[in-house]
Amino acid sequence: MKARRNKKQIPSFRKLLKTSKVKLENKLKNKQFKQQSTLKKYRKEQRKLRQAVKDAVSKKPIPLEDPREKQPGKRIETEEEEEEEALPLDMMDEDDLQLMRDLGQRASFLTRDLSSSEPVHVKKRKHERIIEKYEKIPRTLQTAPEKELIHLLPIKDKSGIIPQTREKPVTDNNQDEEDEEEMELEEEIIEDPIRELTLEEHLIERRKKLQEKKMHIAALASAILSDPESNIKKLKELRSMLMEQDPDVAVTVRKLVIVSLMELFKDITPSYKIRPLTEAEKSTKIRKETQKLREFEEGLVSQYKFYLENLEQMIKDWKQRKLKKSNVVSLKAYKGLAEVAVKSLCELLVALSHFNFHNNIIVLIVPLMNDVSKSISEMCCEAVKKLFKQDKLGQASLGVIKVISGFVKGRNYEVRPEMLKTFLCLRIKEVEVKKDTEDINKPKKFMTFKEKRKTLSRMQRKWKKAEEKLERELLEAEASESTEKKLKLHTETLNIVFVTYFRILKKAQRSPLLPAVLEGLAKFAHLINVEFFDDLLVVLHTLIESGDLSYQESLHCVQTAFHILSGQGDVLNIDPMKFYTHLYKTLFKLHAGATNEGVEIVLQCLDVMLTKRRKQVSQQRALAFIKRLCTLALHVLPNSSIGILATNRILMHTFPKTDLLLDNESQGSGVFLPELDEPEYCNAQNTALWELHALRRHYHPIVQRFAAHLIAGAPSEGSEALKPELSRRSATELFETYSMAAMTFNPPVQSSSSKRKDEVLQGDAFLNEDLNQLIKRHCSEVATHLPLDFSRYSTTSLRRLIRTWLKISQ
């Protein structure tokens, strides 16, 4: 047989060089482990030694001479008495003395574990005989307590029933070695008791800590603001204070750090979006300034990301009511931290709409718009409205609209109406959706080379080339977004808005979102495609006829229908008479209390239905509306009366023949029927505006002024004409200007000036001269005659008094 070849190869020098470090490290670790193990064994032996000494001292020796005189409860004798009774060393043999010394140098039975006869420092022998080991075990007296037995279920055998028992397990009270060492150290070390602080001292200490934290936050923030590129690493130090662990100031410090970081990011963030670098850009050599700028941008983006994650985690902890392990912040403080975090997110949503992670902020804010907490919901809705109002291009608005539309659909249209009311702040009103217009973003045409060669000389061509180059650079430097891009974004945004509105009209007609939907359709109706007009008007009329809507929701339906018909709907052949009838019927259902709900919508509807569609409105319809509006003005608040009278003034100017309502003579046949809900057939031409005379005595001076102006025929010149501040304002503006929502008079009531009278009448000056003389004469007669005879003077005095009163009355 061939010898087996050794396949193990000899390692090369390089391999040995590589593995040498590993071997050295392993040897060092093994050495350290051995030292630790020996130290551990030494501690174990010392602990056993101390335990053995304690057990030996605590045991009571039983005297062999007098075992009967044993008394239970007798205490152990002291060491001094034992030493006196012990045998002296000079009475012992030399061999016994030498044996005791050897045992003292080694570990005696007192320093040995009593459960075994082996010495402490002798290693265990593997091949030790069982008999020898058993013989070395020391014999114990019957002082140990008998073990308790647990009786188990018996076993039945052929021989009979065999009882079964088991010893009760003895609980080991010994702890781990490390715990025992710690306990011994604690017993040895005497700690000073900590003095408890009073409430006042605790507050002073907390104020001192808080002041130190504020100074530290201010120092870091000022350093970052002074030089952001050099001190960008201090952002991490400031952000680490979001995990403040001192329970006294943890909540306050975290709130301060959240707000400070939010203001810092708003100040130091550039006006462009930072993109990640490619591999090619990282590998190329760049200047120091560029490298410093890149490091600043990378640090800013990473810290901004971590900051947003911290804010998100705070909001999640508040939602889940999840208490942290550190237990530094209580559950009650979670809401306060979450509110500050949401406020910071709202500020960043509006201020940094161009920067990184803006879509992540949108995803966090939109669900909070539907939060149970009213304060947080209003805060988020206001932030979204503010973003819509200041977003000129429409990129950020489109992102928010997409998330809101998906959220509303995912919740099955069970959300707050305020979410959809934010759509009313979109800046799409200024844009016309027309694709065939060529002058939307007409690019500037530059002359071609052939045109220049034909018309210009060589020097002129040279100057023209330089001018065109300069104009191109200026256009690039402006960085203004093209109107075409803006139009595209607005068109996409409107499509998503209308899809959301139409879904709710189709699937959730009884939803509380319906008023917001109708209001939004009324605002953006002029931008709806003409193809949807017929279907939309049918849906609106069906909603009105169903009777499920409130009067305010039905007013929104009317407003939406006429906005559609007043824009591109003029080309459609649709008769809106049913909407006129519904509005005429709804006018007397308006709320006349402090809320004034619906009056503003009515004023807007009347402007669209009667003023802007003057050519399609008959005179009978205009007369009926003017009469009913004057009747309504008697019942509502002053600001509503002013708006209604201002609308009547505009209608009287728009339809001049309606001045016949100021005359007492009837026109035509029939009697006015105020209870009839059809404006065309109520015979309004046979009545008069008597309500204006009642309004002329109104307590509000502006209402009096408007009533007198309408009684005079609403002249534009003369003494009865209105002042410019009243005549140039629309009805809606007057309604808002003279609103009494703040519970104050507008205009304020003038204080009555008390005039001093020169002559003050007192006593007899109020009476007639004849009556004064008669009173004096009777007084003198009564004074002269002492006896008073009432029967004698009663008839004569009565006649005289009657004659005197008759003269005075004449």
Side-chain angles (χ1 to χ4, degrees):
M1 293 179 65
K2 294 182 180 181
R4 190 174 182 182
R5 188 178 178 182
N6 188 9
K7 295 183 180 181
K8 188 175 181 181
Q9 297 180 357
I10 301 172
S12 62
F13 177 74
R14 290 184 178 179
K15 194 169 183 180
L16 289 172
L17 192 63
K18 289 180 181 178
T19 57
S20 61
K21 294 182 179 180
V22 180
K23 289 181 178 179
L24 288 173
E25 291 177 357
N26 292 337
K27 286 181 179 180
L28 184 61
K29 288 179 181 178
N30 292 335
K31 189 176 180 180
Q32 292 175 354
F33 179 74
K34 287 180 180 178
Q35 291 176 356
Q36 291 176 359
S37 61
T38 53
L39 185 62
K40 198 172 182 181
K41 287 180 180 178
Y42 175 74
R43 288 177 180 174
K44 189 175 180 180
E45 291 168 1
Q46 293 294 326
R47 186 168 55 256
K48 289 182 178 180
L49 176 63
R50 288 193 295 271
Q51 186 66 31
V53 172
K54 288 179 183 178
D55 294 342
V57 172
S58 61
K59 284 184 179 180
K60 178 183 176 182
I62 302 173
L64 298 178
E65 297 85 7
D66 255 338
R68 297 176 184 175
E69 296 180 1
K70 181 179 176 181
Q71 296 180 4
K74 189 176 180 181
R75 294 186 177 182
I76 302 170
E77 297 177 354
T78 58
E79 294 180 359
E80 296 177 358
E81 295 176 354
E82 288 180 356
E83 289 178 359
E84 291 177 359
E85 294 176 359
L87 292 173
L89 295 176
D90 54 1
M91 295 182 67
M92 296 178 66
D93 297 335
E94 292 182 1
D95 297 336
D96 297 335
L97 183 61
Q98 186 64 31
L99 179 61
M100 290 295 292
R101 286 173 182 171
D102 293 340
L103 289 175
Q105 291 177 359
R106 296 170 59 194
S108 65
F109 73 98
L110 293 177
T111 63
R112 191 182 310 158
D113 190 359
L114 297 179
S115 61
S116 65
S117 61
E118 297 178 4
V120 177
H121 301 290
V122 178
K123 295 183 179 179
K124 294 181 180 180
R125 297 176 183 176
K126 295 182 180 178
H127 306 288
E128 189 176 7
R129 295 180 183 179
I130 300 173
I131 299 174
E132 294 178 357
K133 186 177 180 180
Y134 178 77
E135 289 294 335
K136 290 180 180 181
I137 296 174
R139 273 56 172 172
T140 57
L141 300 173
Q142 294 296 328
T143 56
E146 295 182 358
K147 294 182 179 180
E148 296 182 7
L149 298 178
I150 299 174
H151 296 279
L152 304 177
L153 293 174
I155 299 173
K156 189 175 182 181
D157 198 3
K158 293 180 179 180
S159 59
I161 297 173
I162 303 173
Q164 296 289 324
T165 57
R166 192 181 68 183
E167 295 181 0
K168 187 175 182 180
V170 180
T171 56
D172 189 10
N173 295 326
N174 296 327
Q175 296 179 352
D176 297 333
E177 297 175 3
E178 297 179 358
D179 296 338
E180 290 179 358
E181 292 175 5
E182 291 177 0
M183 291 294 292
E184 291 172 4
L185 291 173
E186 288 178 359
E187 290 175 0
E188 294 174 1
I189 300 171
I190 301 172
E191 297 182 355
D192 296 332
I194 301 172
R195 187 174 65 87
E196 294 183 1
L197 298 176
T198 61
L199 181 60
E200 186 178 358
E201 291 175 348
H202 186 73
L203 290 175
I204 294 171
E205 187 70 21
R206 180 184 180 277
R207 195 179 297 114
K208 191 185 296 183
K209 290 179 183 178
L210 195 58
Q211 188 65 25
E212 292 176 359
K213 295 292 182 180
K214 285 181 180 179
M215 295 299 293
H216 187 47
I217 293 170
L220 290 174
S222 60
I224 294 167
L225 284 176
S226 61
D227 191 1
E229 293 185 2
S230 302
N231 299 322
I232 192 65
K233 292 183 179 179
K234 292 189 177 180
L235 266 178
K236 184 178 181 181
E237 184 180 353
L238 183 58
R239 192 179 58 81
S240 64
M241 296 181 71
L242 286 173
M243 301 295 117
E244 178 64 38
Q245 297 299 319
D246 191 350
D248 292 338
V249 295
V251 179
T252 308
V253 170
R254 291 185 186 188
K255 289 180 180 179
L256 292 173
V257 174
I258 290 171
V259 178
S260 302
L261 283 171
M262 181 261 295
E263 295 293 339
L264 281 174
F265 283 122
K266 285 169 64 176
D267 290 337
I268 67 176
T269 300
S271 59
Y272 54 86
K273 189 174 183 179
I274 300 173
R275 62 173 180 82
L277 299 175
T278 59
E279 294 296 332
E281 290 174 344
K282 291 179 180 179
S283 59
T284 55
K285 293 183 179 180
I286 54 176
R287 295 183 299 175
K288 289 184 179 179
E289 293 79 5
T290 311
Q291 182 64 27
K292 188 176 181 181
L293 180 62
R294 284 185 178 180
E295 291 176 357
F296 166 71
E297 290 178 348
E298 289 177 0
L300 179 64
V301 171
S302 63
Q303 292 302 320
Y304 186 59
K305 178 185 176 183
F306 291 140
Y307 173 65
L308 294 179
E309 288 176 353
N310 290 334
L311 297 184
E312 182 184 5
Q313 189 61 42
M314 288 180 186
I315 298 171
K316 283 184 178 178
D317 292 341
W318 170 58
K319 289 288 183 185
Q320 298 173 357
R321 304 292 192 276
K322 185 178 180 182
L323 189 63
K324 295 291 183 181
K325 293 180 180 178
S326 59
N327 202 14
V328 174
V329 180
S330 62
L331 285 173
K332 294 180 180 179
Y334 276 14
K335 186 178 181 181
L337 281 172
E339 286 181 352
V340 177
V342 171
K343 188 174 182 180
S344 301
L345 286 173
C346 292
E347 291 286 336
L348 295 174
L349 176 75
V350 178
L352 303 181
S353 58
H354 61 280
F355 197 58
N356 301 50
F357 309 112
H358 189 255
N359 291 332
N360 301 75
I361 299 176
I362 293 172
V363 173
L364 286 175
I365 290 294
V366 169
L368 294 174
M369 294 170 68
N370 192 41
D371 194 75
V372 180
S373 177
K374 190 177 180 181
S375 59
I376 290 180
S377 176
E378 290 178 354
M379 194 189 305
C380 297
C381 290
E382 289 299 323
V384 171
K385 288 179 182 178
K386 194 173 180 182
L387 177 66
F388 287 162
K389 289 177 182 177
Q390 74 176 27
D391 186 19
K392 296 179 180 179
L393 179 60
Q395 185 72 41
S397 300
L398 178 60
V400 177
I401 291 295
K402 285 181 178 178
V403 179
I404 291 177
S405 177
F407 183 80
V408 172
K409 185 181 178 182
R411 290 297 182 93
N412 198 17
Y413 313 104
E414 294 180 0
V415 296
R416 287 177 177 265
E418 287 77 11
M419 289 188 70
L420 293 185
K421 287 183 180 179
T422 56
F423 291 177
L424 301 175
C425 298
L426 288 169
R427 296 183 62 177
I428 309 178
K429 187 178 179 181
E430 305 169 355
V431 180
E432 295 181 1
V433 185
K434 293 181 181 179
K435 296 182 180 180
D436 55 346
T437 54
E438 298 177 357
D439 56 344
I440 291 176
N441 188 18
K442 196 172 182 179
K444 187 172 183 179
K445 292 184 178 180
F446 296 101
M447 295 178 69
T448 61
F449 180 73
K450 292 182 179 180
E451 292 174 352
K452 292 177 184 177
R453 194 170 184 179
K454 287 180 182 179
T455 57
L456 302 176
S457 64
R458 185 177 180 183
M459 186 59 68
Q460 288 175 342
R461 288 199 300 269
K462 190 175 182 181
W463 280 102
K464 192 71 176 175
K465 185 178 180 181
E467 287 178 2
E468 290 178 355
K469 184 179 180 182
L470 181 61
E471 287 179 1
R472 286 192 183 96
E473 290 177 355
L474 288 173
L475 288 173
E476 291 176 359
E478 284 178 2
S480 58
E481 298 292 342
S482 62
T483 312
E484 186 177 355
K485 184 178 180 181
K486 187 189 294 185
L487 180 65
K488 186 177 179 181
L489 289 171
H490 285 180
T491 306
E492 188 177 356
T493 305
L494 257 183
N495 289 338
I496 298 173
V497 169
F498 285 141
V499 164
T500 306
Y501 285 164
F502 294 155
R503 281 175 181 166
I504 295 172
L505 283 177
K506 184 179 179 181
K507 298 181 180 179
Q509 292 184 355
R510 295 186 180 182
S511 171
L513 302 176
L514 192 59
V517 170
L518 296 172
E519 193 174 354
L521 287 174
K523 181 173 182 179
F524 303 115
H526 61 286
L527 302 174
I528 301 176
N529 197 345
V530 183
E531 298 175 358
F532 302 110
F533 280 3
D534 289 334
D535 297 334
L536 192 56
L537 288 174
V538 170
V539 170
L540 294 175
H541 181 64
T542 306
L543 287 172
I544 291 173
E545 293 296 327
S546 64
D548 297 332
L549 305 181
S550 63
Y551 75 91
Q552 195 169 0
E553 293 174 353
S554 63
L555 288 175
H556 279 301
C557 287
V558 174
Q559 186 183 11
T560 305
F562 280 97
H563 270 292
I564 292 172
L565 295 174
S566 62
Q568 304 176 44
D570 289 338
V571 298
L572 300 176
N573 188 14
I574 298 174
D575 184 19
M577 185 59 197
K578 48 194 173 184
F579 294 105
Y580 281 102
T581 304
H582 180 73
L583 180 63
Y584 186 77
K585 182 171 56 177
T586 313
L587 284 177
F588 284 159
K589 297 180 181 179
L590 292 179
H591 198 288
T595 56
N596 274 328
E597 291 180 356
V599 176
E600 188 175 1
I601 306 172
V602 166
L603 297 177
Q604 295 172 1
C605 289
L606 291 170
D607 182 48
V608 178
M609 297 167 63
L610 301 175
T611 308
K612 293 182 179 180
R613 292 176 59 87
R614 60 175 66 90
K615 295 181 180 179
Q616 288 87 3
V617 178
S618 63
Q619 184 179 350
Q620 294 291 331
R621 196 179 303 172
L623 290 170
F625 271 99
I626 291 173
K627 174 62 179 176
R628 181 154 286 199
L629 287 172
C630 282
T631 308
L632 180 64
L634 293 171
H635 306 284
V636 292
L637 290 178
N639 59 329
S640 302
S641 297
I642 294 169
I644 289 170
L645 293 177
T647 303
N648 276 347
R649 175 180 175 272
I650 296 171
L651 291 178
M652 292 177 75
H653 287 168
T654 307
F655 305 95
K657 294 182 179 180
T658 54
D659 58 352
L660 59 90
L661 292 174
L662 302 175
D663 194 359
N664 292 332
E665 297 179 0
S666 61
Q667 300 287 333
S669 60
V671 182
F672 175 60
L673 303 173
E675 72 280 358
L676 191 65
D677 292 333
E678 294 291 338
E680 295 285 347
Y681 309 108
C682 65
N683 298 324
Q685 72 277 2
N686 293 324
T687 185
L689 298 178
W690 56 266
E691 295 89 355
L692 296 177
H693 292 277
L695 291 170
R696 195 173 184 178
R697 296 187 293 272
H698 200 276
Y699 67 89
H700 200 281
I702 306 299
V703 178
Q704 295 177 12
R705 190 77 191 91
F706 266 99
H709 174 69
L710 292 179
I711 288 173
S716 56
E717 296 178 354
S719 60
E720 297 296 334
L722 293 176
K723 295 180 181 180
E725 59 266 16
L726 296 178
S727 60
R728 292 179 181 178
R729 291 183 179 179
S730 64
T732 309
E733 291 175 352
L734 290 169
F735 173 79
E736 293 175 354
T737 303
Y738 294 98
S739 174
M740 300 180 68
M743 300 300 293
T744 56
F745 286 100
N746 189 12
V749 179
Q750 297 180 356
S751 59
S752 59
S753 59
S754 59
K755 297 181 180 180
R756 293 185 63 185
K757 295 183 179 180
D758 298 335
E759 296 180 0
V760 180
L761 300 177
Q762 295 180 357
D764 300 339
F766 289 100
L767 303 176
N768 191 273
E769 292 182 1
D770 298 335
L771 186 60
N772 283 332
Q773 292 176 1
L774 182 62
I775 292 172
K776 288 178 181 179
R777 186 151 54 93
H778 278 281
C779 288
S780 61
E781 289 179 359
V782 171
T784 53
H785 301 284
L786 294 174
L788 295 176
D789 190 1
F790 288 100
S791 61
R792 177 183 173 186
Y793 293 99
S794 61
T795 54
T796 57
S797 60
L798 184 60
R799 289 174 185 173
R800 288 175 182 175
L801 284 172
I802 291 171
R803 290 173 187 172
T804 306
W805 281 111
L806 288 173
K807 289 179 181 180
I808 293 171
S809 63
Q810 289 176 359

